Amino acid sequence: MKLHLTDLAVKKLELPTEGQVTYWDEVTPGFGLRLSARAKSYVVMYGAKRQLKTLGRYPELSLQDARKQARIFLATYLTIPDAQAQIEYEAVLTEYLADCRKRLRTSTVNGYGLYLGHIRFKGAIGDIKPAGVMAAIGRYTDKRSSQNYAFTTFKVFFSWAVRRQYLQSNPLAALKRPNVTSSRERVLTESEACQLLRHTLSNRNRFNDIVSLLLLTGQRKSEISDLRWSEVDGDMLNFPASRTKNKRAHRVPVCAMALDLLGTIPGGLTFVFGTSDCDAPFNGWNRAQLRLLAETGLQHFTLHDLRRTFATMHAKLGTPVHVTERLLNHASGTVSGVAAVYNRHSYTEEMRAATVRFGQAVADLLL
């Protein structure tokens, strides 16, 4: 098990009555404290076969000196080339994905799988060369954005492998993404937003209702598509930290039109966009998006563009930037640094007032 080893923590850990227990340090990878029925010993794990070396016993050896010895040992004696020759890429990948499932959202892991699951390498992980990775990505997709996502996915994976001591260095560390991209600037005009809402509000289904709420609330796709009834509280949506991108709880008011829409969605017992037969979040984005574009005749837009459109409409209405950022739950913005530390105002009433103005403006457009 993992533990942030401190002098006090080492002192307080009790010896087991039988067997051995090892606490691996969260500060220094590969360094830990092994407890037996008779002693506490500092150890370091190294090599392809996860060998252990005992550095010394507590309290004869202090934590500070033991941690220093561990770092010197790993830097001097760790035989990464031997480990590379023995550890198969597929084995490391399997361990990585298992670790990701423990600490990341399912949608993130599934995104990794789009590339790690289809771009495969044979042999030892240490034999993988930068040119081989780039060539494999190019063979897999010719879409510039997908190539960039694939590159980032592999770069993150190799960095993890370095931290786990499967690699001495990241083969992609010195490379940049294969394609230069600019941030999207697509914002629906008021006419387009009106056309879209008229269509989605008149042709009700789960996807169209999601699109309506995305435009009316400015929230992220996963936050709305995975919305629970328990998160709807009066005119507020309450997103727990576990459901937001920045891992920060978000409480946001919504306009009357959005509330009226929510009040007419049958949903499932738990999920707003679940059904009586399958109470689970909505799935099937690509086909639904293509169908919506064909039915409305609108120029191509992504669902995230609706969030940008929401912010732009608020700017036109004169909503202060810091209030719009609170509505969007942006982690960084105008209130940042020291000001963010001391400014704990919720801006709930300011957001509610802005939401009322926004809702009225949208209603006027639809007249």
Side-chain angles (χ1 to χ4, degrees):
M1 63 187 70
K2 287 189 175 182
L3 180 68
H4 182 181
L5 294 179
T6 64
D7 291 324
L8 183 59
V10 171
K11 182 179 180 180
K12 285 189 172 183
L13 288 174
E14 296 183 359
L15 299 178
T17 55
E18 59 181 16
Q20 294 180 326
V21 180
T22 304
Y23 294 89
W24 296 106
D25 188 25
E26 293 180 343
V27 176
T28 305
F31 170 64
L33 180 71
R34 171 157 290 190
L35 279 61
S36 67
R38 304 176 65 178
K40 300 177 182 179
S41 301
Y42 294 109
V43 297
V44 61
M45 182 172 62
Y46 66 99
K49 297 182 179 180
R50 307 294 184 89
Q51 298 167 273
L52 287 183
K53 173 181 174 61
T54 301
L55 300 174
R57 287 189 175 186
Y58 170 86
E60 289 81 7
L61 179 63
S62 70
L63 173 62
Q64 181 179 359
D65 289 341
R67 185 180 278 126
K68 182 177 180 180
Q69 286 187 29
R71 289 170 175 165
I72 293 174
F73 176 84
L74 291 173
T76 306
Y77 298 103
L78 185 62
T79 55
I80 288 292
D82 292 339
Q84 291 175 343
Q86 299 176 35
I87 301 178
E88 293 291 312
Y89 168 82
E90 288 290 338
V92 179
L93 176 61
T94 299
E95 183 178 340
Y96 171 68
L97 292 176
D99 178 57
C100 288
R101 294 185 189 100
K102 295 177 183 177
R103 56 188 175 83
L104 300 176
R105 292 184 297 179
T106 301
S107 59
T108 301
V109 178
N110 290 341
Y112 288 171
L114 289 175
Y115 305 107
L116 297 175
H118 294 87
I119 304 175
R120 313 304 283 259
F121 299 95
K122 295 181 179 180
I125 188 171
D127 293 337
I128 297 175
K129 305 299 181 185
V133 178
M134 302 306 291
I137 291 174
R139 289 193 298 268
Y140 176 67
T141 177
D142 57 3
K143 294 182 62 175
R144 295 166 62 87
S145 60
S146 294
Q147 289 178 350
N148 284 347
Y149 281 125
F151 174 84
T152 301
T153 299
F154 276 99
K155 194 169 186 178
V156 171
F157 163 61
F158 288 131
S159 292
W160 177 92
V162 171
R163 292 195 300 273
R164 291 298 180 95
Q165 302 173 9
Y166 291 119
L167 285 175
Q168 191 171 25
S169 61
N170 187 332
L172 302 182
L175 303 183
K176 295 182 178 180
R177 293 192 300 176
N179 302 293
V180 177
T181 58
S182 57
S183 60
R184 286 186 58 84
E185 298 179 353
R186 174 80 162 107
V187 174
L188 275 66
T189 65
E190 288 188 351
S191 176
E192 288 178 316
C194 182
Q195 181 180 345
L196 177 63
L197 269 180
R198 281 179 176 154
H199 175 82
T200 56
L201 293 173
S202 300
N203 299 274
R204 299 285 300 279
N205 57 48
R206 288 199 295 162
F207 179 75
N208 284 353
D209 285 351
I210 289 172
V211 171
S212 296
L213 285 177
L214 290 175
L215 184 54
L216 292 172
T217 68
Q219 303 310 297
R220 294 182 174 89
K221 182 177 78 171
S222 63
E223 293 166 352
I224 294 300
S225 64
D226 296 8
L227 188 65
R228 279 83 161 162
W229 290 116
S230 60
E231 295 169 347
V232 181
D233 180 18
D235 69 337
M236 306 287 287
L237 299 182
N238 294 313
F239 299 109
S242 60
R243 288 243 296 118
T244 63
K245 182 179 180 181
N246 57 24
K247 301 303 179 184
R248 185 174 63 187
H250 183 39
R251 181 173 168 83
V252 60
V254 296
C255 65
M257 193 177 300
L259 285 178
D260 291 342
L261 182 62
L262 284 168
T264 59
I265 296 174
L269 291 176
T270 300
F271 293 96
V272 172
F273 294 104
T275 66
S276 57
D277 296 329
C278 180
D279 192 10
F282 177 80
N283 199 0
W285 298 100
N286 291 338
R287 289 184 179 180
Q289 172 81 356
L290 291 173
R291 184 171 61 249
L292 178 64
L293 289 171
E295 291 172 349
T296 60
L298 290 170
Q299 180 185 348
H300 182 271
F301 66 89
T302 68
L303 295 182
H304 191 76
D305 292 335
L306 301 181
R307 184 169 160 87
R308 189 179 298 105
T309 301
F310 173 88
T312 302
M313 293 176 70
H314 269 283
K316 185 175 180 180
L317 291 172
T319 302
V321 175
H322 64 277
V323 176
T324 301
E325 288 175 342
R326 290 297 177 114
L327 288 167
L328 297 172
N329 195 22
H330 274 171
S332 61
T334 55
V335 181
S336 59
V338 175
V341 173
Y342 290 100
N343 184 355
R344 295 304 184 185
H345 181 49
S346 66
Y347 290 94
T348 298
E349 293 309 315
E350 291 87 343
M351 287 193 293
R352 183 174 278 118
T355 296
V356 170
R357 291 195 301 271
F358 174 82
Q360 185 59 56
V362 173
D364 292 342
L365 284 175
L366 294 176
L367 291 177

